[in-house]
Amino acid sequence: MAHRMVNMVVILVSLFVLGASENDDQGTKWAVLVAGSNDYVNYRHQADVCHAYQILKKGGLKDENIIVFMYDDIAYNEENPRPGVIINNPRGGNVYQGVPKDYTGDNVTTSNLLAVILGNEGGLKGGSGKVVNSGPNDHIFIYYADHGGPGVLSMPSGEDLYAKDFIEALKQKHASGTYKSMVIYVEACEAGSIFDGLLPKGLNIYVTTTSNPSESSYATYCPGIDPAIPSEYNTCLGDLYSVSWMEDSDQQNRQTETLEKQYQVVKNRTSNAEEDSSHVMEYGDINLSGEFLAVYMGATSNSKHQGKYTPSMDAQEGSLTYLTSAADQHQADLVYLKEKWLRAPEGSKEKNEARNKLDEEMSHRKHVDSNIRAIGDILFGAQNGAVVLNTIRPTGKPLVDDWDCLKTTVHSHAPQLIKRGCYQYFKQLFR
């Protein structure tokens, strides 16, 4: 009897040690979520990031391992028809509840973001102080949503995030040996230019982007397009690529669905929305796409969080809304301004102001287009200007060779254009 008891103890201890070993090998899941914009017109970016948080939290990730960057000027904005509530789907619930306010307002900066990724507490200025303090067996998920342009991602405060600086930070993170694998999802115009020809293989990083290096991304759930959104909203609620991966994650079993499967779902759903919609891309170590979503997003339901977040009715019903239309990111601002004008009372001060802002934006865009054409004519001649400005570098080559020159040009000529969502008018300068 005693002999059997000893054997049983040995077996139980062995199982415990084996289980602990397997758990250690799985490592900790970390996530960095970034909304790079501010102002109510950009409602969708913070809605995207809040939704992403809910998915990860429901998947079992701890708040101490989820780091959120968002300006936090949407939920209680005077234009928000539902104060304290942010939705990311016409039939969805409040995704704002419980979201950590790690880096908000003027603390949503490029320097803080890179410090967080690198685990560099000393490089932080403001914010919660949370960083990705990861180890060699850990898995990291980074998600960014906002405006972008060739070689750059927008941030609401300070300098924007340039591709070269981002890639260098990723190389540094890899060299430190402080993660096992990393997945990055990027929602932005020209998002492919951040990685194409720049992100080397062998860093154990898998990336998908909403667009290739030379095209816009698309907003969805907007006023005036299908599917209809609640009538009180005058702005887009989400971004096409983003809601596609998140609604898929809400619906599917993340323990059996791979990153590659989700990539295909998102790619198909995005391309079906518009005839000339963006092309979802893959970069980095594509072999990692065979891993399950649960490795990065979690899979288990956190009982304490169960009642706080409910996926959209579409996800609960086991179907994804077939999105037949979407708004080019560069037109989303115009949708918002037009809706403000149309909804304002006739003859009111608000209506006149809204119309003036819409006219000003249209005039500004025409002015920038005209200037770009003029620059092309001056530099390359009237016959060749348009051809040269529309020339795109071959796939696999970085956007530019001299990144310092790019930064200087942007700082000198377009310091506010990215934040206005107008950077596309300058994109041909850097090809």
Side-chain angles (χ1 to χ4, degrees):
M1 183 69 176
H3 179 71
R4 289 182 179 178
M5 287 293 294
V6 170
N7 285 341
M8 183 63 70
V9 170
V10 171
I11 292 172
L12 290 174
V13 170
S14 299
L15 290 172
F16 176 81
V17 172
L18 177 61
S21 175
E22 289 176 347
N23 186 61
D24 289 343
D25 183 60
Q26 290 176 358
T28 299
K29 297 174 178 63
W30 294 84
V32 181
L33 311 176
V34 186
S37 66
N38 58 352
D39 295 333
Y40 191 75
V41 62
N42 292 311
Y43 179 106
R44 60 195 182 277
H45 302 136
Q46 293 186 49
D48 292 337
V49 160
C50 288
H51 188 178
Y53 165 78
Q54 303 297 346
I55 289 170
L56 299 175
K57 184 68 174 179
K58 204 172 184 75
L61 273 73
K62 300 176 182 179
D63 279 352
E64 64 194 68
N65 301 123
I66 306 174
I67 304 168
V68 179
F69 286 76
M70 58 181 288
Y71 207 84
D72 197 26
D73 60 344
I74 301 302
Y76 292 98
N77 192 291
E78 61 180 11
E79 291 192 62
N80 189 1
R82 302 180 187 178
V85 173
I86 295 178
I87 63 175
N88 195 222
N89 179 293
R91 306 173 71 198
N94 182 14
V95 295
Y96 182 68
Q97 187 173 1
V99 177
K101 311 300 190 303
D102 292 308
Y103 299 90
T104 62
D106 291 341
N107 294 321
V108 183
T109 63
T110 291
S111 58
N112 276 345
L113 173 59
L114 297 182
V116 163
I117 293 173
L118 293 172
N120 177 19
E121 295 179 359
L124 296 172
K125 291 184 179 179
S128 68
K130 285 164 60 176
V131 298
V132 180
N133 189 23
S134 53
N137 291 320
D138 293 354
H139 305 281
I140 303 172
F141 176 64
I142 299 176
Y143 168 57
Y144 171 96
D146 185 26
H147 294 292
V152 67
L153 297 174
S154 180
M155 294 293 276
S157 304
E159 187 175 87
D160 295 304
L161 177 58
Y162 287 85
K164 184 180 180 182
D165 298 331
F166 188 31
I167 299 301
E168 287 301 318
L170 296 179
K171 290 179 180 177
Q172 186 176 342
K173 185 71 173 178
H174 179 262
S176 69
T178 53
Y179 70 92
K180 185 173 184 179
S181 59
M182 183 186 302
V183 168
I184 303 174
Y185 284 6
V186 177
E187 169 81 60
C189 294
E190 288 89 27
S193 66
I194 304 299
F195 306 99
D196 193 28
L198 291 169
L199 180 66
K201 297 185 183 299
L203 299 184
N204 292 332
I205 297 176
Y206 172 70
V207 177
T208 77
T209 64
T210 182
S211 55
N212 68 29
S214 59
E215 64 187 358
S216 299
S217 59
Y218 284 75
T220 192
Y221 300 144
C222 301
I225 67 173
D226 292 329
I229 66 173
S231 60
E232 63 266 33
Y233 287 93
N234 64 357
T235 189
C236 301
L237 304 180
D239 292 294
L240 182 54
Y241 161 90
S242 292
V243 302
S244 294
W245 78 257
M246 287 187 282
E247 290 173 5
D248 178 67
S249 298
D250 276 329
Q251 177 186 325
Q252 300 300 324
N253 183 345
R254 283 173 260 162
Q255 290 179 304
T256 58
E257 181 168 349
T258 64
L259 292 162
E260 174 63 22
K261 172 64 175 177
Q262 182 163 92
Y263 166 73
Q264 294 296 337
V265 169
V266 174
K267 183 178 181 179
N268 292 336
R269 196 178 186 210
T270 300
S271 63
N272 285 335
E274 284 288 332
E275 183 178 348
D276 297 319
S277 58
S278 65
H279 299 80
V280 178
M281 305 296 290
E282 292 178 299
Y283 298 98
D285 296 303
I286 309 300
N287 61 296
L288 290 177
S289 66
E291 294 189 335
F292 296 118
L293 297 177
V295 174
Y296 303 92
M297 303 178 192
T300 59
S301 176
N302 186 324
S303 59
K304 292 183 179 180
H305 193 68
Q306 185 72 30
K308 293 184 179 181
Y309 164 66
T310 302
S312 70
M313 291 301 295
D314 297 324
Q316 293 183 60
E317 293 167 0
S319 63
L320 295 179
T321 303
Y322 185 78
L323 300 174
T324 58
S325 58
D328 185 309
Q329 288 283 7
H330 307 315
Q331 302 303 315
D333 291 1
L334 298 182
V335 170
Y336 164 77
L337 292 174
K338 182 180 178 181
E339 286 295 318
K340 288 197 70 172
W341 169 59
L342 291 174
R343 295 173 186 225
E346 286 294 337
S348 66
K349 178 181 178 182
E350 291 79 8
K351 197 171 189 73
N352 289 334
E353 289 179 348
R355 181 60 196 233
N356 288 337
K357 287 183 179 179
L358 179 58
D359 290 343
E360 179 186 348
E361 181 64 23
M362 294 293 290
S363 176
H364 170 76
R365 294 184 177 209
K366 291 179 180 178
H367 176 69
V368 173
D369 281 342
S370 176
N371 283 350
I372 291 297
R373 286 192 294 269
I375 291 172
D377 291 346
I378 293 171
L379 292 177
F380 309 109
Q383 292 184 336
N384 299 321
V387 174
V388 174
L389 292 181
N390 283 286
T391 299
I392 300 173
R393 276 193 158 190
T395 300
K397 291 200 66 174
L399 175 72
V400 294
D401 297 320
D402 190 336
W403 286 90
D404 291 332
C405 178
L406 173 64
K407 285 186 179 183
T408 301
T409 303
V410 173
H411 291 168
S412 300
H413 299 288
Q416 297 301 319
L417 289 176
I418 298 176
K419 294 179 176 55
R420 295 183 61 177
C422 302
Y423 186 74
Q424 71 276 18
Y425 297 107
F426 277 77
K427 64 185 180 181
Q428 310 297 353
L429 282 176
F430 312 127
R431 290 179 178 158

